[in-house]
Amino acid sequence: MTDRIYMSSPDVGQAEEDALVRAIRSGWVAPLGPEVDGFEADLAAYTGRGHGVALSSGTGALHLAMLAMGVTPGSAVVTSSMTFAATTNAITYCGATPVLVDSDESGNVDPELLAHAVTDQLAQGVHVSAIVPVDLLGKVADHAAIATTAAAHDIPLVVDAAESLGAARDGRPAGSAGACAIVSFNGNKIMTTSGGGALLTDDGDFAQRIRYLATQARQPAAHYEHTEIGYNYRMSNLLAGLGRAQLARLPEMIERRRGWRRHYRDLFADVDGVRLFGAPDGVDDPVNHDNFWLTSILVDSEVTGWSTEDLRIHLESLQIESRPLWKPMHLQPIFAHVPAYTNGTSERLFRTGLSLPSGSSLTDLQFDRVVTAIRDFTKEAHA
């Protein structure tokens, strides 16, 4: 049976094995420990933040960030419609209502439409308790413009950078914007701790508040004393050790994915009606670049004569994973009732976009299989 090729498998090797052995031999197998402390310091340094808090998931980090920022039941949180459900789910955990805003051509939230959504909600008497923009597929949103809107209305800005660690915009690394930002280390992300996430901030008191809430809100007493509801959201020492090894290798993993982006550029260069979604040439720009987490294409089926779904089914028949871009939250049945400010962009991107195998763990032989499968498909479609 042909081995399956995944879009973004974990990239782990000897360095990660050594880190896990080191953590186990230290005796710190339970949650917290020196690897957690070290990972938090490493993350803060990498993103230019004052503090990092390692947590059990990016979703948990986002949930705690909004709780600590004062997101309350009955309030609204303005966020990107084109995102994974974790963003809007975390808002509902707080009892707040997501207010969904459409994309610009980058796929990230449209700053002008977001500003309109905020002012319109406020004009209706809605309490907007936070703004949560999302960095889509490793591309950093226009946080400078978004921050202007947040500051004008004194609304906390929490950045969902779950997908963008290692990217940069205007010379600022992903995770450095907002009062705080969150990143994810889920198994398919640019780097992984198997499961896990982190919160990044420059406010030491805020970081300590997050740690407190994430550790069941336990008071500093000899016995177990609780005056608030807490959560079991801290990262284990073992997974933090894995994360430290991954973070040290992140530049080389990004470079590997950058190489696949270049190959996809060349593959589709002569296919009319297909263009890359994101930086098409993979040029190394230290000021503005995505992290090449997933390379995606946009297909104009009227030109090609085939759709992204046609290609996806073909690849699936060959045990090659691909996936449409995120289905916008305003199209999801569970969020169909919430306010949405749309311009049609995210719906078009969802309809025409497909993410392709992009992982740094892909072998050359596996990538050759992907290229051959796509090339055969496009040739047959034009036969």
Side-chain angles (χ1 to χ4, degrees):
M1 183 177 179
T2 303
D3 291 338
R4 185 165 177 78
I5 295 176
Y6 294 95
M7 287 198 308
S8 184
S9 296
D11 183 352
V12 295
Q14 190 61 51
E16 288 77 12
E17 182 178 339
D18 292 345
L20 285 170
V21 170
R22 181 183 70 237
I24 291 171
R25 289 179 177 172
S26 74
W28 291 89
V29 176
L32 304 184
E35 297 294 342
V36 172
D37 296 340
F39 190 36
E40 291 179 340
D42 293 346
L43 286 168
Y46 186 86
T47 57
R49 285 290 203 175
H51 306 273
V53 183
L55 298 162
S56 59
S57 70
T59 309
L62 194 56
H63 180 202
L64 293 185
M66 288 188 287
L67 285 176
M69 284 290 180
V71 175
T72 55
S75 67
V77 174
V78 178
T79 191
S80 310
S81 185
M82 195 165 200
T83 183
F84 179 56
T87 310
T88 41
N89 285 346
I91 293 168
T92 63
Y93 297 165
C94 300
T97 298
V99 174
L100 306 173
V101 181
D102 216 322
S103 307
D104 60 20
E105 286 301 318
S106 74
N108 285 316
V109 68
D110 184 324
E112 293 184 6
L113 191 56
L114 182 140
H116 168 67
V118 170
T119 56
D120 187 57
Q121 287 291 301
L122 293 173
Q124 294 179 45
V126 175
H127 173 51
V128 178
S129 52
I131 297 173
V132 182
V134 179
D135 294 343
L136 183 74
L137 302 184
K139 301 190 299 298
V140 180
D142 188 354
H143 294 304
I146 296 167
T148 298
T149 297
H153 302 285
D154 196 25
I155 299 172
L157 180 59
V158 178
V159 174
D160 184 343
E163 303 169 9
S164 63
L165 188 65
R169 180 164 183 154
D170 299 327
R172 296 188 59 182
S176 64
C180 67
I182 69 96
V183 291
S184 171
F185 309 122
N186 192 34
N188 68 348
K189 291 296 189 295
I190 189 80
M191 60 164 278
T192 185
T193 57
S194 177
L199 179 138
L200 303 160
T201 183
D202 295 321
D203 187 330
D205 291 339
F206 186 79
Q208 195 55 38
R209 173 70 175 165
I210 296 296
R211 290 191 181 95
Y212 165 74
L213 291 173
T215 319
Q216 299 289 18
R218 181 184 174 185
Q219 292 289 314
H223 59 281
Y224 288 99
E225 181 82 8
H226 305 274
T227 60
E228 297 179 77
I229 297 296
Y231 304 86
N232 184 18
Y233 280 169
R234 289 312 308 268
M235 180 179 284
S236 82
N237 197 60
L238 298 184
L239 297 191
L242 175 62
R244 296 186 76 184
Q246 286 269 283
L247 187 61
R249 293 183 53 233
L250 183 55
E252 71 181 63
M253 292 192 288
I254 291 174
E255 188 58 36
R256 181 74 168 171
R257 291 174 188 257
R258 189 196 312 270
W260 299 145
R261 179 74 61 86
R262 291 189 178 112
H263 285 304
Y264 280 125
R265 173 201 62 190
D266 295 341
L267 175 61
F268 289 106
D270 297 324
V271 181
D272 292 339
V274 178
R275 63 184 177 91
L276 292 194
F277 180 56
D281 53 7
V283 168
D284 186 6
D285 182 347
V287 176
N288 295 288
H289 62 85
D290 66 34
N291 65 3
F292 309 97
W293 174 46
L294 294 179
T295 290
S296 308
I297 56 172
L298 300 176
V299 176
D300 184 343
S301 59
E302 293 185 1
V303 175
T304 61
W306 51 267
S307 68
T308 52
E309 182 63 4
D310 294 329
L311 177 56
R312 189 194 68 78
I313 291 172
H314 173 75
L315 293 175
E316 184 63 32
S317 73
L318 299 173
Q319 288 294 301
I320 298 171
E321 183 184 28
S322 60
R323 186 179 63 203
L325 301 188
W326 300 125
K327 182 177 182 178
M329 289 298 107
H330 68 268
L331 297 182
Q332 298 286 356
I334 191 62
F335 294 114
H337 65 287
V338 306
Y341 296 79
T342 62
N343 57 22
T345 302
S346 63
E347 294 184 31
R348 172 170 49 80
L349 294 175
F350 169 60
R351 185 177 66 253
T352 63
L354 187 72
S355 295
L356 301 170
S358 312
S360 55
S361 64
L362 279 172
T363 67
D364 292 344
L365 285 176
Q366 287 176 322
F367 193 78
D368 286 345
R369 266 181 60 196
V370 176
V371 169
T372 298
I374 294 173
R375 189 170 283 143
D376 289 347
F377 173 82
T378 57
K379 286 181 178 178
E380 184 176 338
H382 285 92

